[in-house]
Amino acid sequence: MDNILIILSGLIYTNKIMYNQAYKLAHYLKGNVSIKTLQVIDDTDIENNHTIIFMFPISSQTIPSCMLEYMKKNETLMNNKNIYSVLYCDEYETDYCDYADEILSLYCTKTHALYKGSLKIGAYFLLDHIPYTWRVSNTLKSFASDIKKEKESARDITFFSKNQFIKEGNKFWKKAYKSKK
């Protein structure tokens, strides 16, 4: 397994939730894995890594504008890289990630990179507020196994039922409302 770079590719305030997931993924990948944010990455970071994993939240069913700008400026650096993505959407259904996944796949075709697939995670804004994160960890572990083997991967998870989602969401918003009083 070659060097792997995990890039937190959202806006600065969205990276907080992804940090924990990035560290778990790096732990499961074992080896020479580094984690950077889009705001501090430079050309040598891309050049020195064979596999790139973009982690980002979906914004209006597409890639965040800061990542699109980065992708446009750095097309030549992606040649012959293995690209994976971890896509977070605030919706329950992970199919909201499909457009972003397709955009990244087309980008890889254009830049002669190999798009190896994605892990789509639904309801990400509750990730730090619920006791069901073990399911996400298990899926991250399986995704890491695919990456280590350089296999294509297409995984998705929303880590609890729709009823649990509504119940936990209501708890979160009630607590947030009370804290503002």
Side-chain angles (χ1 to χ4, degrees):
M1 184 174 70
D2 292 317
N3 296 341
I4 297 174
L5 174 63
I6 299 172
I7 304 174
L8 300 175
S9 307
L11 298 172
I12 292 171
Y13 71 91
T14 64
N15 288 339
K16 181 183 174 194
I17 291 173
M18 294 185 296
Y19 275 120
N20 291 337
Q21 303 304 307
Y23 287 117
K24 283 180 188 174
L25 182 58
H27 172 74
Y28 296 140
L29 287 168
K30 295 179 175 68
N32 197 8
V33 181
S34 54
I35 301 169
K36 298 265 184 153
T37 64
L38 196 61
Q39 293 78 13
V40 299
I41 198 162
D42 61 30
D43 292 355
T44 57
D45 292 319
I46 299 294
E47 291 165 356
N48 293 336
N49 291 281
H50 178 66
T51 300
I52 311 295
I53 304 167
F54 289 103
M55 295 182 91
F56 58 92
I58 298 303
S59 175
S60 302
Q61 295 184 335
T62 191
I63 295 171
S65 59
C66 59
M67 184 174 164
L68 288 171
E69 183 179 327
Y70 177 82
M71 290 165 58
K72 186 177 178 182
K73 287 181 181 177
N74 295 289
E75 289 179 354
T76 58
L77 296 174
M78 299 300 164
N79 192 17
N80 294 318
K81 303 289 183 189
N82 288 335
I83 308 290
Y84 291 90
S85 62
V86 179
L87 308 144
Y88 296 88
C89 68
D90 55 0
E91 303 295 331
Y92 178 79
E93 298 85 2
T94 59
D95 58 351
Y96 280 86
C97 300
D98 291 348
Y99 291 126
D101 197 32
E102 186 177 346
I103 290 168
L104 204 47
S105 176
L106 292 170
Y107 173 77
C108 288
T109 301
K110 180 182 179 186
T111 61
H112 306 289
L114 302 170
Y115 190 56
K116 297 286 200 161
S118 62
L119 167 59
K120 302 171 188 174
I121 300 175
Y124 90 95
F125 63 92
L126 290 175
L127 208 54
D128 286 344
H129 303 284
I130 58 166
Y132 304 102
T133 56
W134 60 270
R135 290 192 61 205
V136 176
S137 293
N138 288 345
T139 304
L140 273 173
K141 189 181 242 181
S142 299
F143 187 60
S145 176
D146 291 345
I147 294 169
K148 285 194 285 189
K149 296 173 187 170
E150 295 189 10
K151 288 176 47 179
E152 291 191 9
S153 187
R155 298 180 181 276
D156 61 76
I157 184 168
T158 298
F159 39 94
F160 43 70
S161 71
K162 199 164 212 166
N163 285 340
Q164 288 171 310
F165 172 74
I166 292 168
K167 182 181 172 184
E168 294 296 333
N170 286 338
K171 275 191 218 175
F172 172 79
W173 289 114
K174 284 178 185 175
K175 184 178 177 182
Y177 176 75
K178 286 179 182 177
S179 72
K180 298 291 181 196
K181 285 187 170 187

